Amino acid sequence: MTNNTPATIVTPWTLAQAHDLHVVPDPVGTTFTFMHPSVAPYVATWNGANVTGIAIGVYTAAPWTTNYPETGAIHQGRLMALRDNNFWATQPGTRTNFTVGSGTASDSIIEEVDENIGISWCASLKDFVVGTRRSEHLATSAGAFIYAGDIGITKHSQVGGKNIQPQIMDDALVYIQGAGKKVMATQYDRDVQQWVPQELSYQAEHINEGVIKSFAWGPHPSYLAWFGKEDGEFNILTFNKAAQVAGWSRHTTQGDVKSLAVGEINGEAEVVMVVERPDASNNLFIEIQQDDYAMDCVTVQDHTGTPVTSISGVSQYDGTTISVLTDGAVHPDVAVSAGGFNLDYEAEVVVMGYSFPQQIKTLPRDDGGVAGSARAYSKRFKDIYVGLDNSQVPKINGVYPPDRTVAAPMGSPQTPVTGLVKVGNFGWTLDEPIDICLLYTS
């Protein structure tokens, strides 16, 4: 993209094939190899700002003709390429030379995984890990590096994986189980001297209903893993192994999430989604996740100095009803047609988009121990309070508690609350497109 103008790149894959693409980034960050079982590998080049080209990969002594590799990774300076039960690796220090030698450390590697049921994924960690439809394998050596004369491929677990690239989250390798309904993590256990798998989604099966079709990980700043599902929804896993945190949340939107990915800008994760919105044309939107507003597919029009009552130029919402904020206050929802709509009153800054319900269900109550509550001070449980941080007051049992104060003039939005708000029970929702940050209940 240059000057906010998207770059147009012709690719060899159909839309249906896109979900099965595996991408192998070079550690230097200037080339990316795209692998698909039905299309020869393609290599894209990147100059740090733009994609400068994409072309079919050129390889010396390529071990395939039409049975192209379907997944790969860079491991110990080699391009690893895998398909079915075939295991191919270039000569070390190259990404293109598969010339077979006499089995020395400088030769390429041609091996087979002892299970011909299809390879789903691979990853480079302490060892080279290979996931098939039915089990997981390790490629190891007696010495420091694997090579044609010193390599062993052994099975270490029998879970099986879906054809989705795994992610390295902290020191765990996280992948999707073959049916697409479980999230698995495998990591090296020094006590037993082997890789041990465990299910991360075990305690959240009610959230993880449906089949996962895309998966991305953004460690900074919030340690979030994103899982797109076949039903158009997506789940988020907050995962911080060092802090022993693994918490799930379920997210819906007006439309279907077709795919998602995570990039990095200035050291922070940038989540990008392809979403089919329910507008009149069922268009596909490329959207970047941001926390500025509690809405999806957001558009902001700034008319500072010249208040308006009519909005135009928003045909992306045609045929739908959207939520609106006017100068920070909640405006009644509006129906969009012919690329615009009218406001009930003048406003300068108008924010619009698809709202989504925010629902919270707490964990079991903390009754504390002999010394009282786990909070910083002890108390008797008489009333229930919610601690908010710079948030609007949520709806309790379908009714908003009194939240207007004399400091907030009529016609202006209520100042966000930081502190305790008394509630009646442990269930609440926020239906309007304003932020809520719940810190605790007590």
Side-chain angles (χ1 to χ4, degrees), residues 22 71-73 80-82 119-124 128-131 165-166 173:
H22 282 206
T71 188
M80 306 294 204
L82 299 91
I119 291 174
S120 299
W121 52 263
C122 62
S124 174
F128 188 67
V129 188
V130 178
Q165 284 185 281
L173 175 65

Side-chain angles (χ1 to χ4, degrees), residues 43-337:
V43 178
T45 53
W46 170 259
N47 64 6
N50 300 289
V51 175
T52 56
I54 182 169
I56 190 168
V58 178
Y59 301 95
T60 301
W64 59 79
T65 52
T66 57
N67 293 326
Y68 305 115
E70 55 186 314
T71 188
I74 303 296
H75 182 69
Q76 296 181 352
R78 302 174 186 262
L79 171 63
M80 306 294 204
L82 299 91
R83 184 207 170 98
D84 299 331
N85 67 328
N86 297 306
F87 182 109
W88 307 306
T90 62
Q91 295 177 354
T94 81
R95 308 291 188 261
T96 59
N97 194 340
F98 287 92
T99 300
V100 177
S102 57
T104 67
S106 61
D107 293 328
S108 66
I109 302 173
I110 307 294
E111 285 287 338
E112 290 186 350
V113 177
D114 188 22
E115 194 171 87
N116 191 12
I117 59 170
I119 291 174
S120 299
W121 52 263
C122 62
S124 174
L125 290 95
K126 171 183 176 290
D127 300 313
F128 188 67
V129 188
V130 178
T132 74
R133 309 289 192 264
R134 188 182 297 161
S135 58
E136 292 72 47
H137 302 252
L138 298 178
T140 59
S141 64
F145 299 95
I146 61 174
Y147 65 94
D150 184 9
I151 182 172
I153 302 176
T154 57
K155 183 186 298 184
H156 80 86
S157 58
Q158 291 190 218
V159 176
K162 190 176 173 67
N163 185 34
I164 297 175
Q165 284 185 281
Q167 301 287 335
I168 300 173
M169 296 167 48
D170 288 348
D171 61 350
L173 175 65
V174 180
Y175 61 98
I176 311 303
Q177 175 259 355
K181 296 185 177 181
K182 296 180 179 180
V183 178
M184 306 297 301
T186 186
Q187 58 191 106
Y188 191 76
D189 189 324
R190 298 185 183 278
D191 293 333
V192 297
Q193 296 291 299
Q194 67 181 32
W195 291 82
V196 178
Q198 70 176 89
E199 183 185 345
L200 295 179
S201 52
Y202 176 75
Q203 294 182 315
E205 292 183 348
H206 60 296
I207 291 177
N208 285 290
E209 295 177 346
V211 177
I212 296 171
K213 65 179 180 181
S214 55
F215 166 35
W217 164 243
H220 305 295
S222 302
Y223 299 95
L224 300 180
W226 303 71
F227 301 86
K229 301 193 298 181
E230 294 283 359
D231 59 10
E233 299 179 356
F234 63 96
N235 296 338
I236 296 177
L237 167 64
T238 303
F239 183 81
N240 186 333
K241 185 174 178 293
Q244 297 183 326
V245 171
W248 287 91
S249 57
R250 172 175 168 264
H251 300 262
T252 61
T253 187
Q254 293 189 43
D256 292 336
V257 175
K258 297 299 184 181
S259 184
L260 55 84
V262 171
E264 192 172 287
I265 297 179
N266 297 325
E268 293 194 0
E270 198 78 62
V271 183
V272 181
M273 293 186 176
V274 177
V275 187
E276 183 179 32
R277 293 295 179 189
D279 64 304
S281 302
N282 289 324
N283 289 318
L284 291 175
F285 291 81
I286 299 176
E287 303 177 17
I288 298 176
Q289 291 293 113
Q290 295 180 333
D291 298 329
D292 297 335
Y293 305 101
M295 289 184 281
D296 292 330
C297 197
V298 171
T299 299
V300 180
Q301 290 194 2
D302 190 342
H303 302 279
T304 301
T306 55
V308 297
T309 58
S310 179
I311 299 296
S312 59
V314 290
S315 59
Q316 66 269 31
Y317 303 122
D318 274 354
T320 66
T321 298
I322 61 173
S323 297
V324 179
L325 294 177
T326 50
D327 297 331
V330 177
H331 183 281
D333 289 353
V334 297
V336 182
S337 62

